[in-house]
Amino acid sequence: MLSGQMPILILKEGTQREQGKNAQKSNIEAAKAIADAIRTTLGPKGMDKMLVDSIGDIVISNDGATVLKEMDVDHPTAKMIVEVAKAQDVSVGDGTTSAVVLAGEFLKQAESLLDQGVHSTVITNGYRLAMNEVKKYLEQLAISAKDDKSLMKVAETALSGKNADFSNEMLAELVVKAVDLVAEERSGKFTVDASNIKVDKKNGGSTSDTQLINGLVIDKERVHPKMPSVVKNAKIALVDSALEIKKTEIEAKVQITDPSRIHDFLDQESETFKEMVEKVKKSKANVLMSQKGIDDLAQHYLAKEGIYAVRRVKKSDMEKLAKATGAKIVTNLDDLTEKALGKADQVEERKIGDDRMTFVTGCANPKAVSILIRGSTEHVVSEIERSLNDAIRVVAITKEDSKVLPGGGAIEAELAMKVRSFANKVGGREQLAIEAFARALEVIPRTLAENAGMDPINTLIQLKSEHEKGNKNYGIDVLENKVSDSIKRGVYDPLRVKQHAFEGALEVATMILRIDDVIASKKTSGGESPGGAPGGMGGMGGMPPY
Ligand code: ADP
Ligand code: MG
């Protein structure tokens, strides 16, 4: 140990810095602002946000993670809150709005304690104690949900959290069926790899045309009308090189002086394509999927051989096809052997709206399923896609854990009551913080009521009195505008989603409360920020994590 010498931080003159109470205050304000911005989207009666970017493209969404991802957030603390939504989205797929709203409320409640002179360490301690209680009770209050009927309710709750107007029941059924198809049972426990469910969308038609396909859908048509439109017992070749003759980089000129020679030249070209197609034929493939282009002449020969071919298939689709059919993606046609081919019962071109798509069904790997979303416009199908992705994740989680909690703010109201009685036992200054934690939990039922146009104060009083009477599953019925039993109404949230949301919200709130100094730091090159949030706090423009 050095002789008690403190490191001295010497800042350049003019460095931007905020310290102590000021730093805390402005951090809390920024976090609250983010939470306030998205709290109106919470629940079935939540409103949507329209995000318009600098070139006028719009995204209309009610999904917390999506809204925050699209928002151009600048404040460092606000970005930390956005990270919570992202983390929630990546790990459990739902509960993003709840996590952010809760984080904002933890900070809001902390702010009033700070104003009363309670030190932030006391607050974070109290919050931690309260959280330990919450974790204990969450397990106890969870309800077993094993059958498809319960899974349906989980799916419907996740879908209605977004929008009450979709054909939720039908979509929920598709989601449950899809999850059941890909679930794997090992010694009585299920594991679900949700990435086996491919979600595709095509605007046009109505939401009720959305369908589940036992296989994959590729948004491509066959390249030549003379090719068969259906291939049974498909043997599929996946090729990531072009069936084209490479154009030279420099402009090349072929000069033909003798008119009879032009045939030789064309024959030569035609011969090359013939050879290419011959190689495909030799492998015994009757379907060819190319990630690159296929020349007109090659198309012609493929059609002649009765081979179904599509071109410019997306790389991600090629990978999914490989996984689903057991095919190997080959780069060189010479490597195309029968062993490299994938298998499916049928490859078929179907007309969907105005477009033609390729359906690959009955794949060698039965765990490959797709949901093809239909809806009137691009914005509608995109929002359904986001909702479906949430629903798939929560149903998958519930299939794995078989544990759910009453939704509609019921669990938060019950936990608030439990935490309050715990606060009395703790006493001291921490008691204030634990009580603040309980108040913060109530932001969920309060916001659900507010968003449904109900009186938040009266509703909360009613809700509390039901819970004191022992009606522990009572929550906000946003459709009937009253409080009633959420389990009876079939409003189920998965246990894991709530656990994750509570913990994520608390972690970020605690982290923000511990900061008492915000200093403009030196620009780091290469984007490395030691100790910074993983993924870079500035990386908001990134791709969705799935
Ligand atoms: P999040 O991003 O947090 O999932 P949502 O907008 O999906 O936000 O809203 C989720 C909240 O809405 C949960 O508390 C859930 O219990 C509640 N909820 C969903 N459906 C209903 C319903 N039919 N009645 C009452 N509450 C509901
Ligand atoms: Mg939700």
Side-chain angles (χ1 to χ4, degrees):
M1 191 81 178
L2 286 174
S3 55
Q5 263 185 350
M6 296 291 285
I8 300 169
L9 194 62
I10 300 165
L11 294 176
K12 266 198 204 140
E13 222 176 312
T15 301
Q16 277 190 29
R17 179 177 188 182
E18 240 176 336
Q19 274 176 291
K21 280 243 158 63
N22 276 344
Q24 257 172 348
K25 265 245 152 28
S26 69
N27 282 342
I28 290 174
E29 287 312 320
K32 269 173 31 191
I34 288 284
D36 279 342
I38 71 157
R39 62 180 287 166
T40 57
T41 72
L42 187 78
K45 293 293 181 75
M47 304 294 278
D48 293 349
K49 301 277 170 196
M50 181 194 245
L51 297 127
V52 187
D53 72 11
S54 56
I55 53 168
D57 278 348
I58 59 171
V59 171
I60 299 171
S61 183
N62 175 301
D63 181 60
T66 307
V67 173
L68 291 175
K69 197 180 83 225
E70 299 288 336
M71 259 161 73
D72 200 1
V73 174
D74 206 29
H75 195 283
T77 322
K79 282 182 179 165
M80 286 168 72
I81 297 278
V82 175
E83 289 292 325
V84 175
K86 255 206 203 167
Q88 178 80 14
D89 193 39
V90 173
S91 14
V92 287
D94 194 20
T96 49
T97 312
S98 305
V100 170
V101 169
L102 203 56
E105 196 66 19
F106 279 143
L107 288 167
K108 191 171 157 197
Q109 296 296 336
E111 191 180 27
S112 68
L113 290 184
L114 287 170
D115 288 344
Q116 293 167 44
V118 181
H119 194 270
S120 56
T121 322
V122 176
I123 302 174
T124 53
N125 262 346
Y127 276 10
R128 184 41 62 192
L129 290 173
M131 190 63 192
N132 290 341
E133 277 309 278
V134 161
K135 277 195 206 157
K136 201 174 76 192
Y137 283 116
L138 274 174
E139 291 278 351
Q140 284 178 17
L141 293 165
I143 294 162
S144 161
K146 284 198 161 73
D147 50 357
D148 280 359
K149 242 172 99 186
S150 310
L151 294 181
M152 274 286 289
K153 287 170 184 159
V154 171
E156 279 183 67
T157 305
L159 291 168
S160 73
K162 295 279 157 292
N163 188 328
D165 303 332
F166 296 152
S167 327
N168 281 333
E169 206 180 311
M170 182 218 106
L171 292 178
E173 211 177 309
L174 291 185
V175 170
V176 172
K177 272 194 192 145
V179 169
D180 277 342
L181 281 170
V182 303
E184 281 178 70
E185 194 177 354
R186 261 182 238 123
S187 50
K189 269 201 88 78
F190 284 101
T191 52
V192 182
D193 181 356
S195 70
N196 275 328
I197 304 171
K198 186 170 176 263
V199 179
D200 296 284
K201 53 185 179 186
K202 190 102 221 159
N203 52 332
S206 92
T207 320
S208 58
D209 299 330
T210 299
Q211 49 176 311
L212 176 68
I213 297 111
N214 219 323
L216 297 181
V217 182
I218 308 296
D219 192 1
K220 296 284 166 195
E221 57 186 351
R222 67 203 151 122
V223 287
H224 199 287
K226 290 235 171 72
M227 287 174 175
S229 58
V230 186
V231 178
K232 302 246 185 233
N233 293 321
K235 297 208 186 78
I236 305 162
L238 300 182
V239 179
D240 75 352
S241 63
L243 274 77
E244 285 169 332
I245 294 175
K246 269 211 190 89
K247 302 235 165 25
T248 42
E249 294 273 323
I250 32 170
E251 208 173 319
K253 221 185 232 167
V254 180
Q255 219 165 35
I256 300 165
T257 42
D258 181 351
S260 69
R261 302 288 294 174
I262 184 130
H263 283 289
D264 291 350
F265 175 73
L266 289 175
D267 283 351
Q268 175 77 39
E269 207 180 52
S270 154
E271 209 44 50
T272 315
F273 289 122
K274 240 190 203 154
E275 269 168 34
M276 284 180 178
V277 172
E278 200 54 42
K279 283 177 195 162
V280 178
K281 193 186 153 200
K282 223 177 91 205
S283 74
K284 299 209 167 63
N286 50 17
V287 174
L288 172 74
M289 309 255 185
S290 170
Q291 199 182 318
K292 306 267 168 61
I294 302 177
D295 188 274
D296 289 355
L297 255 176
Q299 292 175 16
H300 166 77
Y301 287 123
L302 284 165
K304 246 179 143 176
E305 296 297 342
I307 296 172
Y308 183 114
V310 292
R311 62 174 169 177
R312 304 197 203 290
V313 178
K314 274 195 292 187
K315 187 163 186 271
S316 60
D317 282 348
M318 289 292 278
E319 281 157 8
K320 290 210 165 91
L321 280 164
K323 197 172 158 199
T325 67
K328 208 175 134 233
I329 302 173
V330 300
T331 308
N332 190 334
L333 280 180
D334 290 327
D335 300 336
L336 196 63
T337 59
E338 203 172 348
K339 260 178 76 189
L341 303 181
K343 286 201 183 78
D345 289 345
Q346 182 169 302
V347 172
E348 185 192 2
E349 185 186 86
R350 284 189 216 161
K351 196 156 186 255
I352 298 294
D354 291 337
D355 292 315
R356 290 167 198 283
M357 299 172 99
T358 297
F359 286 62
V360 183
T361 48
C363 298
N365 172 7
K367 302 276 175 239
V369 302
S370 310
I371 295 177
L372 178 61
I373 301 170
R374 304 302 309 285
S376 51
T377 71
E378 181 64 40
H379 298 296
V380 171
V381 289
S382 296
E383 183 67 349
I384 296 179
E385 184 187 23
R386 286 188 283 269
S387 314
L388 271 192
N389 277 321
D390 283 13
I392 290 171
R393 298 287 303 282
V394 294
V395 172
I397 284 174
T398 313
K399 185 93 188 165
E400 288 182 348
D401 300 352
S402 347
K403 280 196 177 147
V404 294
L405 293 166
I411 188 66
E412 288 84 0
E414 182 68 13
L415 289 170
M417 190 180 78
K418 301 270 190 218
V419 169
R420 274 202 186 92
S421 73
F422 169 68
N424 291 331
K425 280 186 241 154
V426 174
R429 295 201 137 210
E430 256 96 8
Q431 176 175 351
L432 295 176
I434 298 171
E435 278 165 358
F437 187 100
R439 269 196 303 282
L441 286 175
E442 283 166 352
V443 73
I444 302 292
R446 186 164 8 102
T447 308
L448 285 170
E450 252 169 42
N451 289 353
M454 298 159 78
D455 181 300
I457 296 171
N458 285 343
T459 312
L460 212 57
I461 291 172
Q462 248 180 327
L463 188 63
K464 276 182 172 172
S465 95
E466 291 295 344
H467 280 262
E468 271 151 24
K469 279 190 240 160
N471 291 325
K472 58 179 195 289
N473 295 331
Y474 264 53
I476 312 287
D477 182 347
V478 298
L479 305 177
E480 302 273 331
N481 282 14
K482 58 178 188 171
V483 297
S484 69
D485 192 312
S486 291
I487 292 294
K488 287 208 180 115
R489 274 186 295 124
V491 181
Y492 291 9
D493 286 320
L495 170 67
R496 210 197 296 175
V497 170
K498 285 286 171 195
Q499 280 170 331
H500 206 281
F502 291 165
E503 284 177 38
L506 182 63
E507 262 166 33
V508 74
T510 307
M511 207 187 276
I512 290 170
L513 284 172
R514 287 222 181 96
I515 301 168
D516 74 342
D517 206 344
V518 179
I519 310 159
S521 58
K522 274 203 293 202
K523 276 225 162 51
T524 42
S525 54
E528 296 250 338
S529 58
M537 300 207 304
M540 296 320 305
M543 292 297 290
Y546 31 75

